[in-house]
Amino acid sequence: MERGLEAAAQAAVRDHCLMRLYAAGLWNRLEARDRPRAERLARAGLDLEAQGTLCPVCSVQFYPALAAFRLEQGELEDALAYARKAQKFAESFQNQPGRAQARWVEGRALAAQGQIEEAQAAFTEAASLFRDLGHAYDLALVLSNLAQLPGQQAHAAEAQHLLAALRSG
């Protein structure tokens, strides 16, 4: 990751490369539960945004990761705001993977706030988009979240089936 960031800093399209790496790194560090490194990547992305050089297309990748980070920190309003910001950019560029990811993180934030019906709608849309895109892993994650909502436990079996199929190759 560090070598990638060093190379990106020298690239002709520096800010694009950096923002995409910040997004990927942030997802990775969240999964690894490496909060200090996740915090550094989130801050670096926000610093780049503050410089006014942020690309809306790259933001579609960064903002959902930032929303997930804020969600992990218990900052539910910020998480929801970043998820919705990502959704706005994804819609304006007709970026379906970005829209799916934004709706997934939005659903997680809504569920954490106790807005169950809205969370269910967000998860359902994200699942439909990921299914249409053929993104089985992301679909499994969304279905796992959906299954945690009242009356939606049936989705857990499909999520487990997808994950088992991915593990077996």
Side-chain angles (χ1 to χ4, degrees):
M1 181 75 185
E2 294 302 324
R3 285 193 307 243
L5 290 171
E6 289 172 12
Q10 305 302 316
V13 288
R14 174 190 173 272
D15 295 348
H16 296 280
C17 293
L18 286 172
M19 190 56 74
R20 289 172 187 240
L21 285 172
Y22 294 151
L26 193 47
W27 282 117
N28 178 273
R29 294 299 80 203
L30 285 171
E31 188 70 26
R33 302 204 186 289
D34 180 358
R35 185 181 168 141
R37 184 66 175 130
E39 176 71 41
R40 283 181 41 211
L41 291 164
R43 191 168 315 285
L46 289 170
D47 288 347
L48 192 59
E49 177 188 41
Q51 294 172 17
T53 59
L54 193 60
C55 164
V57 174
C58 298
S59 301
V60 170
Q61 295 178 359
F62 178 67
Y63 287 134
L66 184 58
F69 177 67
R70 293 293 187 229
L71 187 60
E72 294 292 322
Q73 293 182 303
E75 297 173 13
L76 305 182
E77 289 299 321
D78 279 352
L80 190 57
Y82 284 120
R84 289 182 172 161
K85 197 172 188 178
Q87 184 177 334
K88 179 181 166 189
F89 283 130
E91 287 173 356
S92 67
F93 291 99
Q94 298 178 354
N95 181 324
Q96 296 297 51
R99 180 165 170 72
Q101 197 170 50
R103 288 293 280 164
W104 170 49
V105 178
E106 180 183 15
R108 291 174 54 201
L110 291 164
Q113 291 179 336
Q115 298 181 50
I116 302 306
E117 289 180 24
E118 294 87 348
Q120 183 177 340
F123 287 146
T124 300
E125 182 180 354
S128 176
L129 289 165
F130 281 135
R131 191 180 310 279
D132 290 347
L133 292 164
H135 293 192
Y137 180 72
D138 294 315
L139 175 59
L141 295 178
V142 173
L143 291 173
S144 294
N145 288 137
L146 184 57
Q148 294 172 13
L149 299 180
Q152 300 298 315
Q153 292 75 23
H155 295 286
E158 183 182 359
Q160 291 169 353
H161 175 74
L162 286 166
L163 290 173
L166 289 167
R167 283 187 203 110
S168 67

